[in-house]
Amino acid sequence: MSLPDYKSPGKQSSAPVQSKSQVVQLNIGGHVFSTSLGTIRKFPNSTLADLFNGSTKRMDPEGRYFVDRDGTHFAYILEYLRTEKVPTDHLQEVHKEALYYDIKPLVKAIEETPQFFGETVGRQQFLARVPNYRENLEVIVRVARAEAIASRYSNIIVCVVRTEDDLARYNDAIDSLGTPKESVVSFGPWKAPASVDDLLDCVKTDIEAKGYKVKIQPHSIDKGFLFKSYNFFYKLVFTWW
């Protein structure tokens, strides 16, 4: 006859049994969320699930699980864990969070959405073919801020040359503009089907994404018929107040 296993009281585990239905509170960079432990551990191999292991978890003074990360878009992560609903807003930001928490099904689902696909495969691949695009945006913003002193508007002149043929006329165009070359931010040429209007739309979108209010309009100076062939110039108008 076999005897029942004997366990010494001193060897009993002190760790409480955690149920999937257990309600937990999370403090994600100051944003507080309530959910179930089962929801958090829906994908056991994710970094998010690992955060609730005994060796890695951190608690705030109120006893909530703490993650030292901006929690602005964590609600979208939580909604996906609950319902597997793929978000339609803030896809770039939610994608970064899904990568950080290593929720692979959400990463894949976002990358397959038309919006994300169009941004990464279409727009970003185009901008990668525009020389110094990101650097030029930084210059535009820096110059605009420098010209904002005691002024409601800042006007920045940009030159867009679409092709190598346009580039060959670039110096003559700049000289005829009557503006110091150093004060004009130039884009192009590029090897992609996208048009000048496409580039200007990207410039406007990316500057406004930084929080600035800007509009773009053609810039021309009526000094005679020679200027009719130089349609490379545009004015970016920043409005400060």
Side-chain angles (χ1 to χ4, degrees):
M1 181 177 68
S2 61
L3 297 175
D5 293 336
Y6 173 75
K7 293 184 180 180
S8 170
K11 293 184 178 180
Q12 290 181 350
S13 173
S14 60
V17 176
Q18 292 181 314
S19 168
K20 289 184 177 181
S21 61
Q22 177 183 341
V23 176
V24 295
Q25 284 198 323
L26 296 83
N27 178 351
I28 313 294
H31 297 257
V32 177
F33 302 90
S34 295
T35 187
S36 70
L37 190 61
T39 296
I40 292 298
R41 290 178 171 172
K42 182 168 186 174
F43 299 103
N45 296 324
S46 69
T47 302
L48 183 61
D50 285 344
L51 292 175
F52 287 79
N53 291 334
S55 59
T56 58
K57 65 182 180 181
R58 297 171 62 187
M59 313 299 287
D60 71 5
E62 303 298 324
R64 298 173 294 217
Y65 290 88
F66 177 73
V67 179
D68 190 12
R69 184 172 179 82
D70 184 4
T72 302
H73 300 98
F74 188 77
Y76 295 98
I77 299 293
L78 204 54
E79 180 65 16
Y80 179 78
L81 295 177
R82 289 167 173 158
T83 66
E84 296 192 17
K85 179 181 178 182
V86 180
T88 57
D89 299 323
H90 308 290
L91 288 184
Q92 295 291 329
E93 293 83 359
V94 178
H95 182 259
K96 291 178 182 177
E97 297 307 297
L99 286 172
Y100 176 79
Y101 293 112
D102 196 23
I103 304 174
K104 292 181 175 64
L106 179 55
V107 171
K108 185 175 184 293
I110 290 176
E111 289 176 352
E112 291 178 347
T113 62
Q115 303 99 305
F116 193 90
F117 180 86
E119 172 68 18
T120 56
V121 177
R123 200 176 84 96
Q124 292 301 329
Q125 288 295 320
F126 159 55
L127 295 178
R129 290 164 169 76
V130 180
N132 304 314
Y133 177 79
R134 297 297 174 188
E135 294 83 351
N136 284 347
L137 288 188
E138 293 177 2
V139 172
I140 288 172
V141 171
R142 186 168 63 249
V143 174
R145 291 173 68 93
E147 293 187 357
I149 299 175
S151 177
R152 185 172 186 179
Y153 305 101
S154 295
N155 298 314
I156 310 299
I157 305 300
V158 299
C159 177
V160 182
V161 288
R162 168 70 180 80
T163 66
E164 294 291 341
D165 290 340
D166 292 338
L167 184 61
R169 298 187 294 156
Y170 171 77
N171 288 330
D172 289 340
I174 288 290
D175 291 342
S176 62
L177 185 63
T179 301
K181 184 176 181 179
E182 295 75 14
S183 65
V184 179
V185 181
S186 298
F187 292 90
W190 59 86
K191 295 181 179 179
S195 67
V196 170
D197 287 341
D198 293 331
L199 176 71
L200 294 173
D201 183 66
C202 289
V203 170
K204 186 175 188 294
T205 297
D206 289 337
I207 290 177
E208 289 183 339
K210 297 176 182 292
Y212 298 97
K213 183 178 180 181
V214 64
K215 64 179 180 180
I216 301 178
Q217 57 194 41
H219 179 69
S220 61
I221 303 175
D222 186 11
K223 290 187 177 181
F225 69 93
L226 290 177
F227 278 80
K228 294 181 180 179
S229 61
Y230 299 136
N231 56 349
F232 306 146
F233 301 106
Y234 299 85
K235 181 191 296 184
L236 275 65
V237 182
F238 285 73
T239 300
W240 299 106
W241 50 274

